[in-house]
Amino acid sequence: MSLIDTILGRPLASREAGEQRIGIARGVATFGLDALSSAAYGPEAALTVLLPLGAAGLTFILPITTAIVILLGIVYFSYRQTIAAYPNGGGSYTVARENLGANAGLLAAAALMTDYVLNVAVGISAGVGALISAVPNLQPYTLTLCLVILVLLTLVNLRGVGAAGTLFLLPTCIFIVSLCATVAWGVLATISAGGHPQSVVPPAPLPKVAEVVSVWLLLRAFASGCTAMTGVEAVSNGVQAFREPVVANARRTLTIIIAILIVLLLGIAYLARAYHIGATEPGTPQYQSVLSQLIGAVAGRGIFYWISIVAILVVLCLSANTSFADFPRLCHAVASDGYLPYSFTDRGRRLVYSEGIWVLAILSGVLLTAFGGVTDRLIPLFAVGAFLAFTLSQSGMVAHWWKSQERGALASMAVNALGASATTLTVVVVAVVKFMAGAWIVVLLVPSLVALMLAVRRHYRRIERETAPRGLKLNDLREPLVIVPIIAWNSIAENALRVALSLSREVEVLHVESEDSDAKSLKELWPSCVEQPAREAKQAIPRLTVLKSPFRFVVQPILDHVLEVERKNPNRTIAVLLPELVERQWYQYFLHNQRARILAARLLLQGEHRIVIVNVPWYLRKRR
Amino acid sequence: MSLIDTILGRPLASREAGEQRIGIARGVATFGLDALSSAAYGPEAALTVLLPLGAAGLTFILPITTAIVILLGIVYFSYRQTIAAYPNGGGSYTVARENLGANAGLLAAAALMTDYVLNVAVGISAGVGALISAVPNLQPYTLTLCLVILVLLTLVNLRGVGAAGTLFLLPTCIFIVSLCATVAWGVLATISAGGHPQSVVPPAPLPKVAEVVSVWLLLRAFASGCTAMTGVEAVSNGVQAFREPVVANARRTLTIIIAILIVLLLGIAYLARAYHIGATEPGTPQYQSVLSQLIGAVAGRGIFYWISIVAILVVLCLSANTSFADFPRLCHAVASDGYLPYSFTDRGRRLVYSEGIWVLAILSGVLLTAFGGVTDRLIPLFAVGAFLAFTLSQSGMVAHWWKSQERGALASMAVNALGASATTLTVVVVAVVKFMAGAWIVVLLVPSLVALMLAVRRHYRRIERETAPRGLKLNDLREPLVIVPIIAWNSIAENALRVALSLSREVEVLHVESEDSDAKSLKELWPSCVEQPAREAKQAIPRLTVLKSPFRFVVQPILDHVLEVERKNPNRTIAVLLPELVERQWYQYFLHNQRARILAARLLLQGEHRIVIVNVPWYLRKRR
């Protein structure tokens, strides 16, 4: 136990839940990394689509980013309302379920779950991939590194939400400070240079024009840039992780995350245009990330550059942690409504929903292993889920305002309707653009998950219906018929028979006699060892039944006999008493046959309703 | 069941045992293949050691073979006596145990078991190896072929001893007839040519002299040639497989096997000298087996040659079957005395000792897999065990005659003493010569096996002692204290409580309340749903105990409470009643927690002596 205590921390009592809650700073580190890290790849994704336009592409990046930021603002506004309306957490799932019905909620849940699992695999392998491009000697250990990071993240999250927040605070701060400093520095330099700053390290030259601008290209650039918005729903799922006042703290955390993200997105777009920074073709030796070019252009390749680059890599890697914070909470919310196994609602020793953490770790571990730690092919699957969830959440808020009597509800509804339209458009564009590249998997997977959750719910409902509480019925209570199968007369059998007689006056001892064996000893001992003492103690006398087994089967004749007794005695409980030698060492398992266990399992499966199994253990004396 | 019936045959009743017994012809095919196939490699092994002597080596092969044949005669005589003295089978194990004590018997058993497992692996891989040298394209499938043959042999043997004998009769006949015909033909040709016959296909030229003859070299040649004697003990282990009169039939079978083996050994040695056939260096491209050279020299490379070669390959492969016939019988004999798990004494559906067959198949399958189907490195481990068993058996017979009052006992004792000395010498020579090449493994393994069997026996003796039969004690019989842990009040709990009240008037219902959960419903329902009906039915009223669980553990508080009740109530039986929802589909396993099973296992392991577990199943209605 002390080893587990060291790794996972001491068990926390339920009443300590309050002390485990987090404030705003740790909230940003826990729930914000997915959203913030997307500043590192969102603008780059849009610029990559604009590549064929050459230098002209840069004129479009600021409008596209502005559109994304407006969409982000609408989504932010929506989730801000969601946090206040649903302070118990649940985010898109809760909003969609409450306002659009259970199926819409499950659709949002399935979409988010898919995205969370992908996010862990893609986040970790992106971080490890960046590390390996810096230290190519680590190449053979790609998968090992991914799995080590996965195990560490799992352990940190099993220690509780506070541990993760504390541990990730420093890299998050460095990431935010260095990127904001770069933006501020660059903007000042641009203004002081009259809009045409000089790069310290010149960025890669922009390619020649290969295409003319079209609406479809701009739509694709917008859709790709929208990956910057993944992770925005995280806070709304985890409201209950915050310290009192929960709603205010969660809202402030969300505001800070979105504000920083907007500053970074707009700043990067502005500076990309000012410094003439475009994307470089991925997978070529000339490849250099947009942020690397930007920091180099603004600040040169000094110590600041390297600290920033390392912070970006670490934050990319840790963006997986947002999934660890949210996936278990989402599963908890869904399981509370009966759509997932109830065990997802159990809080573990550190008050986190351990089962969700394990399931997430196992699923993403399987993904990482299947793809050998290189998950490039998973990226097209990504973001479809997030935007589907946004759309459902926005639509849910439209329905929410529609039903609401609050002042200003109509204005709020208009904003959410705008957001819903925009995210619907986005999810359609993303799904169409990426369909052949793999988004079809998500399009198949999400409805399957919904079907699975509905099946789980049906099963639980059925059990609930069939086990509905009722008053205790005792009018026809009779003691059970007890059947004791024994192999030979020894003290194990004697002990079992004593227990049998303490339970009922109707006891039948079963003995299977194969023609090989010599059952005489039992029949001979019966009168003196059993009948005589029973008569003397004025107890009921047990009956001995010997079953013939021409084919040497042992379990089958007993099973047949017990089922026959059950059939012949309706309204009686049949207690089958199985004497069992308890093996304290695993290797003793091989020394005794497991027929009692096989018999118990088959009786439970084949019995009608009235067979109960009584295990009577027998212990060897402990050795000195 | 019908698929199993097709593969393994219908179950046989115990009284059909007589019909499963075999006669002499199938006896030779079942128990003789190991011994007979050794004619294919015994003389070759001796000739390989004689290689450095060049042509001069051939002058020694006849005397060496004569010595081996004399030893074989002595061993034959000994086993003939053994069959009569121990008609229930057991061979070396039984003889050694009866006459030299249990440890000597176990030593013989361990040695034979090791040899049987090695024989399966080496036999199959020798056959497959020969097949591959004929069809090199099969090389990549070496291991697969080995395992397929192993599976087939296992299935045939699980079908029963008759099936194996029938199936292997034809290749055995072809093998015996073709080799005896070769010997007869060659001897006639030699005599008619005045001792200097002309080879039809000339054998490989003999190498130049590289060494002078020494006693050590001749001893090594003798030791290697003695591998021709492995498998001779097989019949004596399997006497009970024969039809009545068992002793006479087993003896005749042994006589036929030994007679053919002697004819083949002497014939091969005589013809090797007459036709100037020596061994060729193994592992070189010039390699050709002695028998291949011999048949070619006598009969040319016609259809007869190819039929004979194929028969030799098949019989080499099937020599593994002798192990399958004997290993389970040996294990049965050892297990009957309590030195191995009793399950080795159970006869399966086809009246064979199935467990021994499975264990042999698994062990040799592991060996084949570990060595990739090429078991050359195992050959040095081979034969040490057989000769150790011979030695113990011979020594046992010496002791047997010493105690015997029969006429001629002194003469018999002298023969066995001679045999014991010869086999002792052989085992020492074999172990010393092959020690570094791997025989040391056997020298370590055999005593470990003996220690293991002694430990098994000690365990069984301990159980026997502690469970010695005693009369039923009923003087202090009281109904049990029943404890029912329940999660919520529903019909599963109601059903369990009904069963509990039918067993005892002292029933305690346990409920674990974590601070998270809302246990009010149970406490509120208790008076109306439980106490009221119990009072009305004039039954004892169950007690409700609510346990607090600040750390949300469920199993631990129940366990602690039950152990506490057991401590406080000495002399009482505590029945813990576990309501259980029976899952009929495997996937339902994930939908319900397995706490009841964990609790049952921990109660059985940690309880003192008086806790019994009652499983009360609850079934969902079957779907239409």
Side-chain angles (χ1 to χ4, degrees), chain A residues 95-235:
Chain A
V95 176
R97 194 205 52 199
E98 296 272 314
N99 297 298
L100 304 174
N103 289 342
L106 292 180
L107 198 59
L112 280 178
M113 284 172 193
T114 311
D115 244 35
Y116 284 146
V117 175
L118 288 171
N119 182 44
V120 173
V122 171
I124 291 177
S125 75
V128 170
L131 176 65
I132 283 165
S133 62
V135 192
N137 283 343
L138 291 175
Q139 177 70 40
Y141 308 106
T142 309
L143 180 59
T144 313
L145 284 169
C146 287
L147 295 179
V148 166
I149 291 173
L150 179 62
V151 168
L152 291 178
L153 275 177
T154 307
L155 291 180
V156 166
N157 279 283
L158 285 173
R159 276 189 81 101
V161 67
T166 310
L167 197 62
F168 303 154
L169 208 50
L170 185 68
T172 310
C173 281
I174 298 177
F175 174 85
I176 294 171
V177 168
S178 62
L179 283 197
C180 287
T182 304
V183 167
W185 189 340
V187 170
L188 283 177
T190 306
I191 292 170
S192 66
H196 299 284
Q198 202 61 41
S199 297
V200 180
V201 174
L206 289 163
K208 293 208 181 71
V209 179
E211 244 179 77
V212 290
V213 66
S214 67
V215 174
W216 175 243
L217 185 91
L218 293 182
L219 271 181
R220 275 173 52 217
F222 170 76
S224 292
C226 278
T227 52
M229 285 173 60
T230 56
V232 168
E233 77 293 342
V235 175

Side-chain angles (χ1 to χ4, degrees), chain A residues 52-77:
Chain A
L53 302 182
L58 290 183
T59 53
F60 297 102
I61 188 64
L62 204 51
I64 287 172
T65 304
T66 308
I68 292 170
V69 164
I70 291 170
L71 189 57
L72 188 56
I74 296 168
V75 172
Y76 160 70
F77 179 78

Side-chain angles (χ1 to χ4, degrees), chain A residues 232-463:
Chain A
V232 168
E233 77 293 342
V235 175
S236 68
N237 270 326
V239 181
Q240 279 299 313
F242 287 92
R243 213 174 273 147
E244 289 290 349
V246 287
V247 169
N249 277 329
R251 279 179 153 189
R252 266 176 227 139
T253 304
L254 181 63
T255 307
I256 289 170
I257 293 170
I258 299 296
I260 295 171
L261 183 56
I262 287 176
V263 166
L264 293 181
L265 289 179
L266 286 177
I268 291 166
Y270 176 78
L271 294 179
R273 193 166 164 193
Y275 283 88
H276 296 277
I277 294 168
T280 47
E281 198 67 61
T284 60
Q286 290 79 39
Y287 174 76
Q288 200 191 346
S289 75
V290 169
L291 278 187
S292 166
Q293 293 182 60
L294 182 63
I295 302 171
V298 172
R301 299 243 164 149
I303 183 83
F304 179 79
Y305 172 86
W306 288 109
I307 288 176
S308 308
I309 290 295
V310 168
I312 291 167
L313 298 191
V314 172
V315 165
L316 267 178
C317 215
L318 296 183
S319 70
N321 192 61
T322 303
S323 291
F324 274 103
D326 264 12
F327 182 86
R329 287 168 201 280
L330 177 60
C331 290
H332 165 254
V334 176
S336 296
D337 294 334
Y339 292 104
L340 278 179
Y342 282 132
S343 44
F344 280 105
T345 65
D346 292 337
R347 290 194 292 169
R349 56 192 286 133
R350 298 289 288 183
L351 289 164
V352 289
Y353 302 112
S354 315
E355 181 144 326
I357 294 177
W358 285 116
V359 168
L360 179 65
I362 289 167
L363 289 179
S364 49
V366 167
L367 265 188
L368 280 172
T369 308
F371 286 82
V374 182
T375 54
D376 290 352
R377 272 178 293 167
L378 291 177
I379 291 176
L381 281 67
F382 207 37
V384 181
F387 276 90
L388 188 54
F390 288 161
T391 304
L392 289 162
S393 160
Q394 300 279 344
S395 312
M397 286 313 283
V398 171
H400 177 82
W401 297 127
W402 181 259
K403 290 179 280 183
S404 167
Q405 307 296 327
E406 278 177 50
R407 220 158 54 92
L410 212 66
S412 301
M413 190 175 84
V415 173
N416 282 128
L418 179 69
S421 318
T423 51
T424 305
L425 181 70
T426 314
V427 79
V428 170
V429 170
V430 171
V432 168
V433 169
K434 299 179 173 178
F435 190 80
M436 292 310 294
W440 62 270
I441 298 175
V442 176
V443 172
L444 286 181
L445 187 64
V446 167
S448 313
L449 279 176
V450 171
L452 185 70
M453 291 190 278
L454 287 172
V456 168
R457 163 82 159 179
R458 261 198 312 280
H459 181 76
Y460 280 132
R461 284 299 286 272
R462 184 169 160 227
I463 291 176

Side-chain angles (χ1 to χ4, degrees), chain B residues 47 49-60 206-211 217 277-279:
Chain B
L47 282 169
V49 175
L50 294 173
L51 259 182
L53 301 183
L58 291 181
T59 52
F60 295 105
L206 290 162
K208 294 211 178 72
V209 180
E211 244 180 75
L217 186 90
I277 295 167

